[in-house]
């Protein structure tokens, strides 16, 4: 692809070489670092879309990505920068596509169904990543197959990485009340949208939906009808009859998809569950403790991210504004 067909400006550090995906407010492209030759993913968010709540959400997304991306189960952020049209986030390129593509999409039909052992392995990585986020005080609020990337290049077994932190929220932010997320994954308390809810328990519900799909190859609830959550226990789709899943997995599913958030386990309780503990990769559980004790981090990063997003919102013609502003995200963010 030439620069003429590219969303990235011709004088950007990165040259666009393809497109990876798009969502409601952004496009993610594959690009090459002109200096190092490294291939990266760049998320381009239109500057004009940064109005109202979006401005705050994007500040959080960039800041939390910087703070969490030292973890192998969370996509690594490199830098954030502005072009004349977009706010851009350069990230590690994950080659294998989304978990949706693997389990429910076109790609799934070309592969045999996941074994229960592989389903558990992918689930373990999701929970270890979410546990790290939760222990840093951040809830994801949009756990779904489309936001989980499969890195199939680097290991014998594919790795899983959480990629989209658009709706993430820190304990120190105001209480969660907004109905955000995706219909098929919405927890019952989020659907009752006027209530405050515990965002971490909403992640447990989302991870329960992902586990169900990994085990049974289908969504447990009918998408696009959030009203069914009023009586979801009765309406959960029965698993396919030919699929044998052991009782431990079913028990974990039942508590993760408990209707009342207080009855759902924490990430730590999921980790302690015997079905989770079986066949666990060595070192997986000490990793989070190690990363949490590291004291690198840059306490002024949140301010610079905030200034970058504010600058991106400016749509006037004052050429003194820092159009080419860049914030290095590799340094990481100090815990609030
Ligand atoms: N680091 C990455 N490596 C490879 N592909 C990626 C990467 N990040 C995102 N993608 C692809 O781009 C798609 C969209 O990414 P993402 O979910 O972050 O953006 P979005 O849905 O546009 O976000 P928003 O919800 O803020 O609009 C993903 O589903 C995935 O296919």
């Amino acid at each position: 692809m030439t620069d003429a067909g590219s969303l990235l400006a011709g004088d950007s550090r990165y040259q666009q070489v393809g497109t990876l995906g798009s969502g409601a407010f952004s496009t993610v492209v594959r690009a090459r670092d002109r200096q190092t030759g490294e291939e990266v993913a760049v998320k381009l968010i239109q500057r004009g879309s940064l109005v109202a709540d979006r401005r705050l959400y994007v500040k959080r997304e960039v800041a939390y990505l910087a703070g969490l991306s030292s973890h192998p189960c969370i996509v690594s952020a490199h830098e954030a920068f502005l072009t004349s049209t977009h706010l851009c986030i350069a990230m590690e390129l994950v080659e294998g596509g989304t978990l949706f593509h693997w389990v429910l999409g076109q790609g799934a039909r070309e592969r045999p169904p996941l074994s229960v052992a592989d389903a558990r392995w992918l689930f373990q990585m999701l929970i270890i990543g979410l546990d790290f986020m939760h222990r840093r005080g951040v809830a994801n609020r949009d756990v779904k197959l489309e936001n989980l990337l499969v890195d199939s290049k680097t290991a014998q077994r594919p790795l899983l990485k959480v990629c989209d932190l658009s709706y993430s929220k820190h304990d120190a932010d105001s209480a969660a009340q907004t109905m955000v997320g995706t219909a098929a994954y919405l927890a019952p308390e989020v659907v009752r949208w006027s209530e405050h809810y515990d965002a971490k328990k909403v992640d447990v519900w989302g991870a329960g939906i992902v586990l169900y799909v990994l085990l049974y190859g289908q969504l447990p609830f009918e998408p696009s009808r959030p009203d069914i959550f009023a009586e979801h226990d009765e309406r959960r789709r029965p698993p396919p009859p030919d699929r044998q899943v052991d009782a431990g997995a079913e028990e974990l599913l039942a508590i993760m998809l408990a209707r009342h958030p207080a009855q759902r386990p924490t990430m730590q309780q999921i980790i302690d569950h015997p079905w989770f503990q079986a066949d666990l990769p060595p070192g997986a559980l000490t990793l989070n403790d190690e990363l949490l004790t590291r004291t690198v981090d840059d306490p002024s990063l949140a301010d610079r991210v905030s200034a970058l997003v504010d600058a991106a919102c400016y749509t006037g013609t004052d050429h003194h504004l820092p159009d080419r502003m860049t914030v290095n995200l590799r340094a990481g963010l100090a815990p609030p």
Side-chain angles (χ1 to χ4, degrees), residues 20-29 40-45 54 58 61 75-76 91-98 142 144-149 163-167:
L20 293 164
S22 60
F25 303 103
S26 59
T27 303
V28 182
V29 302
V40 296
V42 181
K43 182 165 182 169
L44 295 115
I45 302 165
R54 285 278 302 149
V58 170
E61 176 177 8
V75 74
S76 296
M91 307 172 267
E92 131 188 52
L93 173 69
V94 183
E95 298 272 12
T98 66
D142 199 16
K144 60 176 178 177
L145 298 160
E146 295 88 332
N147 285 343
L148 303 171
L149 296 173
C163 82
D164 184 356
L165 304 189
S166 308
Y167 293 124

Side-chain angles (χ1 to χ4, degrees), residues 105-321:
Q106 188 70 33
R109 276 175 241 138
E110 292 152 19
R111 274 185 289 273
L114 281 182
S115 67
V116 173
D118 283 345
R120 172 160 47 203
W121 159 264
L122 292 166
F123 176 70
Q124 284 165 334
M125 278 183 294
L126 169 64
I127 296 300
I128 288 168
L130 290 175
D131 174 58
F132 182 69
M133 288 185 73
H134 285 192
R135 286 163 71 182
R136 291 291 296 251
V138 179
N140 181 287
R141 294 202 298 172
D142 199 16
V143 176
K144 60 176 178 177
L145 298 160
E146 295 88 332
N147 285 343
L148 303 171
L149 296 173
V150 180
D151 183 351
S152 53
K153 282 248 160 113
T154 52
Q156 284 178 324
R157 285 175 125 180
L159 297 171
L160 195 75
K161 290 172 188 270
V162 177
C163 82
D164 184 356
L165 304 189
S166 308
Y167 293 124
S168 294
K169 195 171 199 321
H170 192 273
D171 292 339
D173 299 330
S174 58
Q177 193 176 9
T178 323
M179 184 149 116
V180 295
T182 304
Y185 298 81
L186 285 181
E189 65 274 22
V190 180
V191 180
R192 294 190 294 271
W193 56 273
S194 57
E195 283 178 19
H196 286 167
Y197 56 82
D198 177 343
K200 290 178 184 160
K201 289 298 178 81
V202 166
D203 284 355
V204 172
W205 174 278
I209 303 267
V210 172
L211 176 58
Y212 184 99
V213 178
L214 288 171
L215 291 171
Y216 296 125
Q218 62 181 25
L219 283 160
F221 301 108
E222 191 182 335
S224 78
R225 285 202 40 214
D227 57 301
I228 65 165
F229 289 114
E231 40 183 326
H232 75 84
D233 281 340
E234 290 75 25
R235 299 213 192 181
R236 200 169 109 180
R237 269 188 200 159
D242 54 341
R243 183 69 161 163
Q244 295 301 315
V245 168
D246 50 75
E250 260 301 331
E251 183 190 81
L252 196 49
L253 263 182
I255 53 173
M256 291 179 74
L257 296 178
R259 182 171 172 200
H260 296 289
Q263 289 166 359
R264 280 175 226 148
T266 60
M267 289 298 160
Q268 185 57 54
Q269 287 166 334
I270 296 171
I271 287 173
D272 291 339
H273 192 279
W275 187 78
F276 186 97
Q277 287 283 333
D279 205 10
L280 197 63
L285 291 180
T286 48
L287 176 74
N288 288 4
D289 295 330
E290 270 168 37
L291 286 172
L292 283 160
T293 54
R294 272 195 209 162
T295 53
V296 254
D297 300 329
D298 173 354
S300 70
L301 189 56
D303 294 338
R304 280 183 283 132
V305 167
S306 182
L308 179 83
V309 178
D310 288 340
C313 295
Y314 183 79
T315 51
T317 53
D318 180 348
H319 294 297
H320 298 295
L321 268 169

Side-chain angles (χ1 to χ4, degrees), residues 17-129:
V17 293
T19 303
L20 293 164
S22 60
F25 303 103
S26 59
T27 303
V28 182
V29 302
R30 185 185 187 108
R32 187 173 297 113
D33 185 328
R34 293 179 203 269
Q35 290 164 18
T36 65
E38 182 190 11
E39 290 218 307
V40 296
V42 181
K43 182 165 182 169
L44 295 115
I45 302 165
Q46 281 200 6
R47 289 171 64 165
S49 73
L50 294 169
V51 290
D53 285 352
R54 285 278 302 149
R55 186 165 172 162
L56 174 67
Y57 286 156
V58 170
K59 282 184 185 181
R60 286 180 183 164
E61 176 177 8
V62 180
Y64 298 154
L65 201 52
L68 295 161
S69 67
S70 52
H71 197 282
C73 300
I74 299 172
V75 74
S76 296
H78 297 176
E79 61 182 19
F81 58 97
L82 298 184
T83 68
S84 55
T85 50
H86 291 89
L87 170 70
C88 307
I89 310 167
M91 307 172 267
E92 131 188 52
L93 173 69
V94 183
E95 298 272 12
T98 66
L99 192 58
F100 180 90
H101 170 80
W102 269 64
V103 184
L104 291 179
Q106 188 70 33
R109 276 175 241 138
E110 292 152 19
R111 274 185 289 273
L114 281 182
S115 67
V116 173
D118 283 345
R120 172 160 47 203
W121 159 264
L122 292 166
F123 176 70
Q124 284 165 334
M125 278 183 294
L126 169 64
I127 296 300
I128 288 168

